[in-house]
C-alpha cells in the first residue's frame, strides 16, 4: 500500500466515522444559552449577515421554528420552559408577575422570582428566589443523580438566571445595579469580584458612538414615536456611569459571557467526574428591542455584535477540549413598534387603548353594575384580570360576565377566557403552530395563580399605552411573532441539518437529557426528545 493510498483510506475512514461521532457526543458539559427576545423573525432576517458564533450554530442542527408554545410570552415563563421541559402551566411561572389577592401586603403583585414570604419583600424591592418554580431544571435533575454535577447559571436578568438554573445551583449570578449579584447569603468567588471590578471601571468612563457595520448603517431612518422622541438613529455615545445605557448595549452581553467564561475556567466545568451544566441568559437584545424596536440600526448592531462575541465564546470552548453540547434559543420572540410597522406595509399596527388598563376597566364595570368599591385588578392592559375578594360571592358571576362583554366589545381584543373554559381541558395533539388560542392560554394557565379572566389582544396591538414615557415596543402576546424562536443545537463535529417544521422549547430538556443518558419520565414533562442525528442514528435512543 502506498503512502498516498494510506492517507486516502484514513480520510475515508474519518468521513465514515464522523456521523457516528456526531451521534454520540457524550458531553461532560451542557450549555444552554437564551438570547432574550431573539425571535425567529430576527434569526431569519440576520442569518445571512452572521459571520461569527451564530453562523457556526446555524451550521448545526437548526430548528428555525421553535415555539414558546404558550400565550403569555414573557421573560420569566419563557426561561422556565427551556431547561424544565414544562409549559408555564406546569412550571407555575405564568407571567413575569401576577396578582395574589391573599398576599399580606398592600401591593398584591407578585414578581415571578421573589419570595414574598420574606418580610419587606415587594414586587419592586424583592428578595430573589426560586420558590415559584414548581418543577426541577436540568441542573436539579443532574444533582439528584450525582452531587458531583456542578450547576452554574449566569444572566443579565435575575429571572433568567433563576428559571434556567433552578433549585440547586452551585453558582448563580445576575446583573443588578452596576454588577453581578447573587442570593444574599452566597460567598463571592474571586473571579466574580474581579469581573465586577472590571465592569465598574468600564462603567466609569464615557464611550464613543460605536462604528456601525454597513448593513446596520443602511437601516438608519428615524421614526417619531412621541413628541420629542424617535428611534432608528445611529446609536450614540454612552455617558460615564450610565448603567441603563450599558445594559441596553452589546457590552452587556459581552460582560455576561465574561462572567460565564470566568466561572467555566475557575470551576473547571466539564472536567469533573459528573456532567455539569452552564446556563447563560443574554438580556441585551431584549433591552434594545424594548427601547428602540426590532427593525432599526440599534437591534442590527446588537445582533451582529452578539454574533461576534458568541464566536469568541465558542472558540474558547473548542480549544478547551471539554466535550460539550450547546443549545441556543430564546425566551420569547418580539416585533417592531407600531409607528414603524405602519410605515412598512402593516397599517393595522396600533397601541392598546387606555380603556383596557385594569384600573379603567375596574371603574367602568363598577359604574355599569352599580357596585361600590374595588372590583378588578391586573398587571397591565392584556393578560390576567382578578376579581377582588371584596366582591360578594353572589355578584362575582355578573362582574365576570360584564367584564368579558366589555372586553369583547373593544375592537383591540381578540379573545377572553374565564376559569370555566379550562375545566376538563385536554391539551392539543396538533402541531404547536396550529394550536387554538385556548390551547395557547391553557399552556400558561395555573388555576391557583392565573386570573379570573384572561384576555388577548388582536395581532399587532402593542400593549404599551404611552411610548413617550419608556419602552416603545414589546412582546407577551399569543401571536406567532412572539411565540416563534430559533432552537440551535451544536457541538464540535456535529453533522448539521435543518428541520423547518415546528418544535417547542419544552423539547429541549428531553433532547439534552438523552445526550447524557439522564432518565426523564415522560409524565413529568410536556416536551419530547428531538433526534439530533440527521441519519439513521437516533440521539433519543443511543
Ligand atoms: Zn424576555
Amino acid at each position: 500500500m502506498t503512502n498516498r493510498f494510506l492517507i486516502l483510506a484514513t480520510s475515508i475512514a474519518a468521513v465514515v466515522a464522523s456521523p457516528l461521532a456526531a451521534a454520540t457526543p457524550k458531553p461532560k458539559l451542557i450549555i444552554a444559552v437564551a438570547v432574550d427576545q431573539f425571535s425567529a423573525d430576527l434569526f431569519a432576517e440576520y442569518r445571512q449577515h452572521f459571520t461569527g458564533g451564530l453562523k457556526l450554530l446555524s451550521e448545526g442542527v437548526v430548528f428555525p421554528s421553535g415555539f414558546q408554545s404558550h400565550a403569555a410570552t414573557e421573560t420569566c415563563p419563557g426561561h422556565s420552559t427551556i431547561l424544565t421541559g414544562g409549559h408555564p402551566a406546569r412550571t407555575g411561572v405564568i407571567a413575569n408577575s401576577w396578582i395574589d389577592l391573599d398576599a399580606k401586603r398592600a401591593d398584591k403583585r407578585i414578581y415571578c422570582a421573589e419570595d414574598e414570604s420574606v418580610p419587606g419583600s415587594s414586587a419592586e424591592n424583592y428578595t430573589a428566589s426560586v420558590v415559584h418554580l414548581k418543577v426541577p431544571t436540568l441542573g436539579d435533575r443532574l444533582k439528584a443523580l450525582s452531587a458531583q454535577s456542578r450547576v452554574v447559571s449566569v444572566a443579565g436578568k435575575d429571572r433568567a438566571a433563576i428559571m434556567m438554573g433552578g433549585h440547586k445551583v452551585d453558582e448563580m449570578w445576575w446583573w443588578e445595579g452596576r454588577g453581578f449579584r447573587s442570593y444574599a447569603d452566597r460567598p463571592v468567588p474571586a473571579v466574580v469580584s474581579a469581573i465586577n471590578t472590571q465592569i465598574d471601571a468600564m462603567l466609569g468612563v464615557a464611550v464613543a458612538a460605536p462604528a456601525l457595520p454597513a448593513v446596520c448603517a443602511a437601516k438608519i431612518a428615524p421614526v417619531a414615536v412621541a413628541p420629542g422622541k424617535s428611534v432608528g438613529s445611529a446609536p450614540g455615545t454612552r455617558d460615564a456611569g450610565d448603567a441603563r445605557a450599558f445594559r441596553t448595549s452589546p457590552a452587556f452581553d459581552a460582560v455576561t459571557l465574561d462572567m460565564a467564561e470566568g466561572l467555566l475556567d475557575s470551576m473547571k466545568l466539564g472536567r469533573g467526574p459528573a456532567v455539569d451544566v452552564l446556563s447563560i441568559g443574554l438580556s441585551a437584545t431584549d433591552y434594545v428591542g424594548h427601547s428602540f424596536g426590532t427593525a432599526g440600526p440599534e437591534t442590527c448592531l446588537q445582533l451582529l455584535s452578539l454574533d461576534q462575541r458568541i464566536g469568541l465564546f465558542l472558540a474558547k470552548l473548542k480549544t478547551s477540549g471539554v466535550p460539550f453540547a450547546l443549545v441556543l434559543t430564546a425566551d420569547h420572540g418580539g416585533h417592531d413598534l407600531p409607528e414603524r410597522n405602519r410605515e412598512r406595509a402593516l397599517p393595522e399596527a396600533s397601541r392598546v387603548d387606555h380603556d383596557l388598563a385594569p384600573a379603567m376597566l375596574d371603574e367602568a364595570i363598577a359604574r355599569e353594575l352599580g357596585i361600590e368599591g374595588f372590583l378588578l385588578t391586573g398587571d397591565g392592559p392584556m393578560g390576567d384580570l382578578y376579581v377582588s375578594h371584596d366582591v360578594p360571592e353572589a355578584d362575582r358571576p355578573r362582574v365576570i360576565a360584564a367584564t368579558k362583554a366589555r372586553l369583547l366589545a373593544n375592537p383591540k381584543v381578540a379573545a377572553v377566557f374565564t376559569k370555566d373554559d379550562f375545566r376538563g381541558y385536554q391539551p392539543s395533539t396538533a402541531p404547536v403552530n396550529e394550536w387554538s388560542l385556548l390551547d395557547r392560554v391553557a399552556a400558561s394557565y395555573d388555576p391557583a395563580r392565573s386570573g379570573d379572566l384572561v384576555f388577548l389582544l388582536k395581532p399587532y396591538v402593542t400593549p404599551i399605552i404611552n411610548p413617550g414615557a419608556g419602552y416603545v415596543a414589546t412582546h407577551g402576546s399569543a401571536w406567532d411573532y412572539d411565540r416563534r424562536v430559533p432552537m440551535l443545537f451544536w457541538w464540535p463535529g456535529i453533522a448539521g441539518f435543518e428541520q423547518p417544521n415546528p418544535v417547542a422549547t419544552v423539547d429541549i430538556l428531553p433532547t439534552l437529557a438523552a445526550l447524557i443518558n439522564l432518565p426523564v419520565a415522560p409524565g413529568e414533562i410536556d416536551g419530547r426528545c428531538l433526534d439530533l442525528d440527521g441519519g439513521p442514528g437516533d440521539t433519543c435512543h443511543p
Side-chain angles (χ1 to χ4, degrees), residues 172 184 199 248 293 347 387 397 404 435 462 479 502 517 523-524 538:
M172 168 129 75
I199 291 169
T248 314
V387 177
K404 182 173 178 175
W435 281 14
T462 294
W479 306 108
N517 299 316
E524 292 178 359
D538 184 349

Side-chain angles (χ1 to χ4, degrees), residues 36-37 74-76 79 157 159 286 290 331-332 475:
D36 203 313
Q37 206 187 129
E74 294 186 333
T75 295
C76 216
H79 281 97
K157 296 181 184 175
R159 55 187 177 274
D286 185 67
H290 282 305
D331 57 337
H332 49 74
H475 48 83

